[in-house]
Amino acid sequence: GAGVSQSPRYKVAKRGQDVALRCDPISGHVSLFWYQQALGQGPEFLTYFQNEAQLDKSGLPSDRFFAERPEGSVSTLKIQRTQQEDSAVYLCASSLDRNNGYTFGSGTRLTVV
Amino acid sequence: KQEVTQIPAALSVPEGENLVLNCSFTDSAIYNLQWFRQDPGKGLTSLLLIQSSQREQTSGRLNASLDKSSGRSTLYIAASQPGDSATYLCAVREGATNKLIFGTGTLLAVQP
C-alpha cells in the first residue's frame, strides 16, 4: 500500500483483557518497528524486525508483550492481561533500508479501563 | 546510552515569523537524523532526513542542519503559518542498533 496501515485506530480494553494490534507496512519494506508513545512524550522503542526475524526486543516492557511477523510483512503486537500502565499510543513504522527514513502509521490508541 | 533533548519544549510565535527548533544528542555515532511533525491524535509525518555525512537538507520553507561532531541539529522554519502548529520531534538512528531514539518534542503554536 501507499503508507503504513495500523488497526484498530482505537481500542478500549478492560484490565486483564488480551489485545492484538495490527501493522501493515509499506510493501517491500524489510524493516518494521514498534514504538510506544505515552501522553506528552516522544515515542519509545519496543521491538524491531528485519523480514520475519525479530532482531531486537529489548524495549518490550514485560513478558506480557509479544510481537510477531511470521511472513515478513504484516506484524501483530499482542499484549496479554492488559494493565492501566499499558494505556498509550502504539506506533508502527517501516523502512526500506538504512539509507531511507522511517515511515510511521497513524497509530493505535489503547486505553485500559 | 543515547539521549536526545529538544529545546524549547514549547514555543508560541506570531504568523510570519522565522523560527528555529533545537535538537541535541549525546552520542555522535548516528546513522542519520530525522525530523518529524505530529498533529494532535495523529501519527508522525516525516519532514526531513539528514544522513550523517550531510550538513543540511531543505524542503520548501524548512531547512534542517546537522553538526554531528557537536551533537546538534536545528530545524529552521521560514515565514511560519498557523498550519505549522504541531509538535516537532527529532530522532537519531543509531548506527549499531538501527533504532530511532526520539526527543520529547517542541510544541509549536503559530498565532494568526
Side-chain angles (χ1 to χ4, degrees), chain A residues 5-89:
Chain A
S5 178
Q6 290 189 247
S7 62
R9 188 78 177 85
Y10 302 94
K11 176 70 179 177
V12 178
K14 290 185 178 178
R15 191 171 156 219
Q17 187 179 353
D18 297 350
V19 298
L21 313 180
R22 176 188 170 107
C23 173
D24 209 329
I26 292 174
S27 179
H29 278 199
V30 169
S31 301
L32 184 146
F33 307 83
W34 284 98
Y35 283 78
Q36 180 190 58
Q37 187 175 24
L39 192 64
Q41 300 294 316
E44 297 277 347
F45 172 82
L46 292 177
T47 187
Y48 156 50
F49 290 86
Q50 188 161 310
N51 295 307
E52 69 277 6
Q54 189 173 20
L55 298 188
D56 189 336
K57 54 182 181 179
S58 61
L60 295 176
S62 77
D63 59 8
R64 296 185 295 104
F65 286 70
F66 172 76
E68 60 183 5
R69 194 186 185 196
E71 297 177 1
S73 56
V74 172
S75 176
T76 304
L77 176 66
K78 297 178 179 178
I79 309 173
Q80 297 176 322
R81 304 181 304 281
T82 51
Q83 304 293 318
Q84 280 194 315
E85 62 262 28
D86 300 335
S87 296
V89 175

Side-chain angles (χ1 to χ4, degrees), chain B residues 15-94:
Chain B
E15 182 177 3
E17 197 162 290
N18 303 326
L19 58 101
V20 175
L21 307 181
N22 297 290
C23 172
S24 61
F25 47 96
T26 55
D27 187 345
S28 62
I30 65 168
Y31 201 77
N32 55 43
L33 182 146
Q34 202 165 354
W35 281 93
F36 294 90
R37 167 188 174 135
Q38 187 170 34
D39 293 283
K42 300 288 179 65
L44 279 65
T45 300
S46 180
L47 298 173
L48 289 164
L49 171 70
I50 311 178
Q51 302 296 343
S52 61
S53 58
Q54 296 175 322
R55 299 281 297 183
E56 67 177 329
Q57 282 287 333
T58 297
S59 176
R61 294 183 293 108
L62 306 179
N63 175 278
S65 68
L66 174 64
D67 184 341
K68 204 174 87 158
S69 61
S70 67
R72 292 179 185 173
S73 176
T74 62
L75 178 67
Y76 175 82
I77 303 176
S80 57
Q81 302 171 358
D84 295 331
S85 298
T87 296
Y88 290 80
L89 292 155
C90 94
V92 298
R93 190 164 187 164
E94 292 188 320

Side-chain angles (χ1 to χ4, degrees), chain B residues 94-108:
Chain B
E94 292 188 320
T97 67
N98 213 21
K99 296 176 192 176
L100 270 186
I101 307 297
F102 283 86
T104 51
T106 294
L107 177 61
L108 173 65

